[in-house]
Amino acid sequence: MLAQILVIDDEPEIQRFIRISLKAEGFSYAGAGTGAEGLNLFRQSQPELIILDLGLPDVDGYELLKTIRETSLVPILVLTARDEEDEMIKLLDAGANDYLCKPFSIRTLIARINVLLRDFSQLRQAATEAHVMNFQGLQIDSQNHQVYLHGNQLSLSKKEFRLLHMLAERRGCLVTQKELLVTIWGDTHAEDTHYLRNFVSHLRKKLQDDADNPTYIQTEPGVGYRLLGNN
């Protein structure tokens, strides 16, 4: 899928120059001549990168930059006619990832775009890896509350997910029955071990796990449970 780049600039020649160059490099292009139009396109299409000219006819480019930053980490490359150091610092403080001073070459523009897209992709990958746990064919996505077993998504209740996730966070360590009950069901259920036995039994079935020879959930009778598994 082509990376879509939104260009917000009121100069037709700049738009044409960038549009032709982006398409020649294999990018998908969207263009806006005003800040209002650009903000609307941003919200509709969620582009992978924004090229923003500060000299817009209807809004202050800094304010538009800050508005986008309130809801998105999308890379923003700012075009500016000024190259003073204070101006550049102000841009970066407002949330710009990089800037180009006019006039600029297309080679420089494409190089900056590629660097921003690469860096942002690496950041997203790191964030994804931080909230996804993988072991023994089991994948637990804590951000999206999804669990996959050998690539197939499992249908878990909220409490089943919390139970599995709690064990996964402390994989290899014993988690007591009381701690699980209090955390998932609350203080009033601290002694209701039958709740826990039922949920563990249902969870094991979904994980295709054998209680007598477990791959994932090991029982310490009368004490608690631990999650097994190697990366």
Side-chain angles (χ1 to χ4, degrees):
M1 185 176 179
L2 300 177
Q4 185 180 72
I5 297 177
L6 171 60
V7 182
I8 307 175
D9 193 306
D10 67 327
E11 297 182 50
E13 286 304 310
I14 293 288
Q15 283 279 6
R16 180 177 177 277
F17 169 66
I18 295 178
R19 182 183 71 250
I20 293 171
S21 303
L22 290 179
K23 290 188 173 182
E25 293 294 325
F27 294 111
S28 175
Y29 161 89
T34 66
E37 184 185 1
L39 188 58
N40 187 49
L41 275 176
F42 159 70
R43 289 169 173 165
Q44 287 180 353
S45 61
Q46 294 296 304
E48 277 76 24
L49 185 142
I50 295 174
I51 297 174
L52 172 63
D53 178 32
L54 293 183
L56 298 171
D58 58 335
V59 297
D60 186 314
Y62 288 105
E63 293 305 313
L64 180 57
L65 172 59
K66 289 188 283 188
T67 297
I68 293 172
R69 270 292 165 262
E70 288 174 359
T71 60
S72 176
L73 295 176
V74 61
I76 300 176
L77 174 63
V78 169
L79 305 180
T80 177
R82 293 176 258 175
D83 61 357
E84 294 88 351
E85 183 179 5
D86 289 346
E87 181 79 5
M88 300 306 107
I89 293 173
K90 183 181 176 183
L91 279 172
L92 297 172
D93 285 343
N97 296 89
D98 202 352
Y99 59 87
L100 273 178
C101 296
K102 297 179 179 179
F104 53 85
S105 72
I106 193 58
R107 289 182 61 190
T108 300
L109 175 66
I110 297 301
R112 298 287 181 88
I113 288 171
N114 285 330
V115 168
L116 288 175
L117 289 173
R118 181 198 66 203
D119 290 350
F120 190 59
S121 176
Q122 291 173 348
L123 284 173
R124 284 192 298 187
Q125 179 65 28
T128 298
E129 291 173 354
H131 65 71
V132 175
M133 292 176 275
N134 293 280
F135 50 92
Q136 294 286 94
L138 189 64
Q139 184 182 79
I140 303 172
D141 183 339
S142 59
Q143 179 169 294
N144 297 304
H145 285 210
Q146 294 174 341
V147 177
Y148 296 84
L149 180 63
H150 302 302
N152 298 311
Q153 187 173 355
L154 302 182
S155 178
L156 302 185
S157 69
K158 289 182 180 179
K159 284 186 170 61
E160 286 172 340
F161 179 85
R162 289 189 67 192
L163 172 59
L164 181 61
H165 186 261
M166 192 171 171
L167 293 174
E169 284 186 313
R170 293 158 62 180
R171 180 157 49 102
C173 298
L174 180 66
V175 185
T176 66
Q177 293 176 344
K178 184 172 183 178
E179 184 177 355
L180 290 166
L181 284 163
V182 169
T183 301
I184 298 172
W185 284 275
D187 292 335
T188 58
H189 294 284
E191 305 301 325
D192 293 337
T193 56
H194 63 285
Y195 274 44
L196 199 51
R197 285 196 300 271
N198 288 336
F199 267 78
V200 169
S201 177
H202 292 153
L203 188 55
R204 275 199 175 110
K205 288 178 181 177
K206 293 180 179 182
L207 294 173
Q208 302 171 26
D209 203 20
D210 183 355
D212 296 324
N213 186 28
T215 299
Y216 299 113
I217 302 176
Q218 182 183 66
T219 302
E220 294 290 339
V223 182
Y225 303 89
R226 76 175 81 240
L227 196 67
L228 307 173
N230 299 315
N231 290 326

